[in-house]
Structure formats: C-alpha cells, structure tokens
Amino acid sequence: MKIIEILKNHKMSLSFEVFPPKKETSFESVKQATEKIAGYHPSFMSVTYGAGGGTSRYTLDIAKNIMDSYGVPTLAHLTCVSSSKETVIHQINAMKEAGITNVMALRGDLTPELEKGDRSKWDYQYAIQLINELKNSSNDFCIGAACYPEIHPESPNQKEDIIHIKEKTDAGAVFLTTQMIFDNNLFFNFLYKLREAGVTVPVIPGIMPITNANQVERAIKLSGSFMPQRFKSIVDYFGQDPDSMKQAGIAYATDQIIDLYANGITNVHVYSMNKPDVAKAIMDNLSQILGKDFNR
Ligand code: FAD
C-alpha cells in the first residue's frame, strides 16, 4: 500500500521508524526487534539507510521482511550524498525488484570527512536530485522527503529552507516527515509557514520517546531540537532511575501525540529506535484512539 493512501484516509495513524543493523552479526537481533514492532501493526514502518552506504544493504532486507511477513506497509529510506549515479540507480532497481514502492528520498548527512571533499565531483548535491532520479525511473514510487521545523542546520534561514522544501514537493515528494520535535508549538508554527509558502502535501510530525537520560544529549546533538523546560525537568527528576525515566519518557511522547491528534494532525511518526517495548507501550496508550475517524 502507498503511504499517501494511508495519510489521506482521515483515520488516526501511527508509524514507527527502525534502523538496519550496522554489521552482519547483529542482523538477527535487529530483524527480531523489527518483527516484534511489526507485530503491533502500526500503519506503516520506515527503515533508515546509512549515509554513504554504511548499512545500505540491510535496509531493503528489513523492509521487505516486515512487508512480506507482517503485511505492514514499509517506507525504505535512501540517501544520495557522496553516492555515484551508478550506485543510486542500482539501489532504485533493487527496490523495484523487492516490490518496495514507498521511498524516503534524502540527501544524507555531511560527515566531517565528506565536508572536506570536493562537492563539485558528486553526482548528487541535494535530495531533490534523488527525487528526480526516482521519478525518472518510475512513476509508481510514492516519495517522501524530510523537513525541519527548527530549520536544517546548514540553512541560512527558514525562508530559504522552506523554498527548498517546496522544490522537493514540486519535484514529486507527496509527503514530508519532520525531524524530531519535543515542543508541538514548533511544529504547528512550521506547518503554518509551509502552508503559507504553498506546500500542500501531508506533513507528518516526528516524535522521539526519550527513555533514558543518556539519550537526551545524543538526540539534541543529532537533531539540534529544542528541549522544553517541562521535558528537562522530567529528565532532571527521573533521569537517575531508569524505570521511572522510561515510563515518564513514554508518557511525554504519548502526551505530544495526543495533543497533535487533538489539533487535527492525523498521522504521527515515532522514532522507535528498534525498541519493541517502547512501541508497544505507546500503541497501548493510544489503543482507543488509533484507527478512529474524528472528522466524520
Ligand atoms: P536536502 O533537502 O538536500 O537539504 C539539505 C540542505 O540543503 C538544507 O539546508 C536545504 O535547505 C539545502 N538545500 C536543498 N536544496 C538546495 C538547493 N537547490 N540549493 C541550495 N541549498 C539547498 N539520514 C540518513 O543518513 N539516513 C536516513 O535514513 C535518514 N532519515 C531521515 C529521516 C527524516 C524524517 C529526517 C528529518 C532526516 C533523516 N536523515 C537521514 C538525516 C538527513 O539525511 C539529514 O538531515 C541531511 O543533512 C539532510 O537531508 P535532506 O534530505 O533534508 O537534504
């Protein structure tokens, strides 16, 4: 099933993100974790892709397994930074062969090593070029792209960032997923600006349940996301007790999701980080809400 069909049916939906193993020895344990999450039947699952091809070969294996064994629609991520055209075309063909029709088209992060390289030699500079490549290859792909309520770190300002987001949707991205947010107001303000700029596609907010205090620093470093005082207090108060922190982190994420639904956002994406227990707890917390259509 195409993700866009799920996003347009007005029912409250929840999707989970998982990441592929970094090495072969952890393939089985990652596969089992992703299968467990698939067993809770989220509306779809996305599988990330290692920038520079690090874990690329497992993205399709994991995505295909979830789709074929559990009937859960999957969204395979694909990055293009530093990849040759040949590699990207190869990956696109592998997706077609695996029956994957939903693709998250990303540039990928610039590692310090890549930053030092000569960008003029790259076949792809930006995600929009990958979107064009996917469109050239087949009209059947349902393409998603990334966006940043708190501005992409390389962008000089939000206005320019939104211009490039619109270029991605004009090129063929039919939905957007946001970087993780811990303050819903940032999402609502951003959505308003996107609509004002003429971006009309569904925008899925990304929510990261923080379940241990160590995760906080890493999450902020990776995403640059703003941590509201309300959340900082939770980490300060419960952070030293792992079970309490986990429960409080899941409650905070659930609260954010309910607030998004209550304000008319029907689709939320959870960065579930290969943690079936966290995915299950959130699904359980929303069991009376998911699948219902409050627009009827
Ligand atoms: P782009 O859309 O190309 O934007 C990158 C920067 O370039 C932005 O500042 C933008 O404003 C600017 N820009 C875009 N077009 C132009 C132009 N024509 N001229 C000048 N400037 C331009 N990374 C992974 O490695 N693997 C993953 O699986 C993965 N999944 C992700 C999922 C989501 C939902 C999100 C939000 C991020 C994900 N990332 C992933 C991280 C992502 O690769 C990085 O954030 C990366 O730095 C930017 O990717 P992008 O696709 O948004 O790039």
Side-chain angles (χ1 to χ4, degrees), residues 10 20 23 96 172 191:
H10 299 298
K23 41 187 195 303
K96 284 188 197 165
L191 186 60

Side-chain angles (χ1 to χ4, degrees), residues 45-161:
M45 282 170 72
S46 70
V47 186
T48 64
Y49 187 92
T55 56
S56 55
R57 52 190 266 248
Y58 298 119
T59 298
L60 282 189
D61 294 347
I62 297 284
K64 191 168 162 49
N65 179 50
I66 294 165
M67 189 174 69
D68 291 350
S69 308
Y70 291 83
V72 174
T74 51
L75 169 63
H77 292 203
L78 182 61
T79 64
C80 59
V81 67
S82 80
S83 295
S84 66
K85 194 174 166 79
E86 195 188 355
T87 306
V88 167
I89 302 275
H90 174 82
Q91 277 303 124
I92 293 175
N93 288 336
M95 281 182 175
K96 284 188 197 165
E97 269 168 40
I100 303 276
T101 49
N102 300 301
V103 185
M104 189 73 180
L106 300 144
R107 186 197 66 182
D109 270 326
L110 295 179
T111 58
E113 262 171 42
L114 287 176
E115 297 249 29
K116 282 185 223 143
D118 179 0
R119 289 194 202 190
S120 65
K121 295 211 172 103
W122 294 352
D123 287 338
Y124 306 91
Q125 304 273 348
Y126 300 110
I128 189 173
Q129 293 164 293
L130 179 57
I131 296 170
N132 290 333
E133 199 74 85
L134 285 158
K135 292 295 284 182
N136 285 341
S137 169
S138 164
N139 259 333
D140 204 35
F141 283 124
C142 172
I143 305 170
C147 64
Y148 305 83
E150 298 173 68
I151 311 178
H152 185 268
E154 288 163 41
S155 212
N157 57 61
Q158 190 162 51
K159 206 169 165 204
E160 201 159 312
D161 208 21

Side-chain angles (χ1 to χ4, degrees), residues 58-294:
Y58 298 119
T59 298
L60 282 189
D61 294 347
I62 297 284
K64 191 168 162 49
N65 179 50
I66 294 165
M67 189 174 69
D68 291 350
S69 308
Y70 291 83
V72 174
T74 51
L75 169 63
H77 292 203
L78 182 61
T79 64
C80 59
V81 67
S82 80
S83 295
S84 66
K85 194 174 166 79
E86 195 188 355
T87 306
V88 167
I89 302 275
H90 174 82
Q91 277 303 124
I92 293 175
N93 288 336
M95 281 182 175
K96 284 188 197 165
E97 269 168 40
I100 303 276
T101 49
N102 300 301
V103 185
M104 189 73 180
L106 300 144
R107 186 197 66 182
D109 270 326
L110 295 179
T111 58
E113 262 171 42
L114 287 176
E115 297 249 29
K116 282 185 223 143
D118 179 0
R119 289 194 202 190
S120 65
K121 295 211 172 103
W122 294 352
D123 287 338
Y124 306 91
Q125 304 273 348
Y126 300 110
I128 189 173
Q129 293 164 293
L130 179 57
I131 296 170
N132 290 333
E133 199 74 85
L134 285 158
K135 292 295 284 182
N136 285 341
S137 169
S138 164
N139 259 333
D140 204 35
F141 283 124
C142 172
I143 305 170
C147 64
Y148 305 83
E150 298 173 68
I151 311 178
H152 185 268
E154 288 163 41
S155 212
N157 57 61
Q158 190 162 51
K159 206 169 165 204
E160 201 159 312
D161 208 21
I162 289 179
I163 288 172
H164 296 309
I165 292 168
K166 183 159 186 316
E167 285 167 356
K168 292 197 280 192
T169 59
D170 288 346
V174 292
F175 67 93
L176 297 164
T177 306
T178 76
Q179 180 60 282
M180 63 186 81
I181 42 148
F182 297 96
D183 179 345
N184 289 354
N185 287 330
L186 293 168
F187 172 77
F188 292 122
N189 289 336
F190 176 61
L191 186 60
Y192 179 80
K193 286 179 187 161
L194 287 179
R195 298 298 183 235
E196 211 176 31
V199 176
T200 56
V201 302
V203 184
I204 315 176
I207 300 296
M208 162 84 95
I210 299 282
T211 54
N212 71 67
N214 300 336
Q215 227 182 318
V216 177
E217 208 174 305
R218 198 176 129 73
I220 297 177
K221 200 172 160 208
L222 276 177
S223 66
S225 302
F226 165 71
M227 286 274 171
Q229 187 53 48
R230 198 167 76 85
F231 188 75
K232 281 190 200 145
S233 306
I234 290 176
V235 180
D236 287 347
Y237 202 76
F238 299 113
Q240 296 309 310
D241 183 70
D243 291 340
S244 305
M245 184 59 230
K246 187 170 168 185
Q247 194 166 43
I250 289 169
Y252 187 90
T254 306
D255 190 42
Q256 270 192 287
I257 297 168
I258 290 174
D259 178 56
L260 289 161
Y261 287 153
N263 283 285
I265 307 299
T266 48
N267 312 286
V268 179
H269 190 60
V270 177
Y271 293 105
S272 52
M273 310 288 287
N274 298 3
K275 292 179 184 161
D277 51 340
V278 174
K280 181 173 188 313
I282 292 182
M283 290 292 269
D284 287 349
N285 285 345
L286 300 169
S287 60
Q288 298 304 313
I289 293 172
L290 290 173
K292 290 195 180 151
D293 179 355
F294 291 95

